[in-house]
Amino acid sequence: MMLEKFVRLVGGDPHQKILEGLAAEVEEINALESLYESLDDQALGDKTDQFRKRLAKGETLEDILPEAFAAVREASKRTIGQRHYDVQMMGGIVLHRGMVAEMATGEGKTLVATLPVYLNALAGKGVHVVTVNDYLASRDSEWMGQLYRYLVLSVDSIVND
C-alpha cells in the first residue's frame, strides 16, 4: 500500500497515463472519420485488401490500427447502424494489445470486439471469438457478421447442435 502511494506520488497515476495515450490514439482515428465516410461501399470494402498488402510489405498491425479501426467504425455505421463511441475505440485498442477491458452489461462488448477482430484478421491467421453460450454465438455471428462480410471477411460459428 505504501509503495503504491509512493509510485503515484512520484510518477502519477499509471492508469491515467494509459488513458491519455489511448485518447490520443482515438483522436487519430477520429481524424480519419470524414475521409472514411466519403468512401463508397466498394472503396471501403477494398480497404481490407489494401491493409493486407501493406502488412505483406512489412507494416505492422500497430501501423495500420488507426485506419483499420476507422474502417470498422464506418462499416458498422453502414451495416448495423451503430457508431463506436470513443471509449469503445479505447476498449478495442486495449483488447488488441492483450489487456483486459472490463465492461458492464449494455456497454457494447460485442461491438468493441469487432475492432481487434478485424485488425487481427488482416494478418490472415484467423480470429476466434469465444462467447458464453450457443445463443450468443449464433446471434453475434449473424449480427456482427454483417459488418465483417461488408469488409470482405468470412464469418462462421460453432455451436453445440
Side-chain angles (χ1 to χ4, degrees):
M1 187 69 159
M2 185 63 124
L3 178 61
E4 182 179 325
K5 287 182 181 179
F6 177 74
V7 168
R8 288 181 193 275
L9 180 65
V10 172
D13 183 352
H15 296 110
Q16 186 60 37
K17 290 181 181 184
I18 291 170
L19 290 174
E20 288 170 3
L22 292 171
E25 291 183 78
V26 171
E27 284 181 31
E28 186 178 351
I29 297 164
N30 288 344
L32 297 167
E33 190 163 13
S34 62
L35 172 67
Y36 279 74
E37 286 174 334
S38 71
L39 298 174
D40 64 24
D41 290 344
Q42 180 67 46
L44 187 57
D46 288 346
K47 286 291 182 183
T48 297
D49 189 49
Q50 293 168 18
F51 294 144
R52 286 182 171 151
K53 287 178 181 174
R54 288 171 56 188
L55 289 170
K57 290 180 181 178
E59 288 190 65
T60 67
L61 293 176
E62 286 293 322
D63 293 333
I64 65 171
L65 184 149
E67 294 169 81
F69 277 31
V72 172
R73 177 186 265 171
E74 184 57 29
S76 178
K77 290 178 348 189
R78 293 183 190 189
T79 58
I80 62 173
Q82 294 187 356
R83 180 188 178 277
H84 297 78
Y85 292 109
D86 289 357
V87 69
Q88 291 172 317
M89 301 300 262
M90 289 180 181
I93 295 167
V94 165
L95 291 176
H96 165 67
R97 294 189 178 142
M99 296 181 278
V100 175
E102 182 179 353
M103 297 176 69
T105 299
E107 289 185 333
K109 292 178 286 295
T110 303
L111 188 62
V112 167
T114 60
L115 299 158
V117 165
Y118 175 72
L119 178 63
N120 286 274
L122 295 171
K125 298 177 184 175
V127 175
H128 295 86
V129 177
V130 179
T131 192
V132 297
N133 62 47
D134 288 354
Y135 166 75
L136 290 175
S138 296
R139 181 201 72 177
D140 294 353
S141 175
E142 283 305 309
W143 184 23
M144 297 299 143
Q146 298 171 73
L147 185 159
Y148 298 129
R149 284 187 287 277
Y150 182 88
L151 290 170
V152 197
L153 297 179
S154 60
V155 179
D156 205 348
S157 64
I158 301 171
V159 294
N160 192 33
D161 294 323

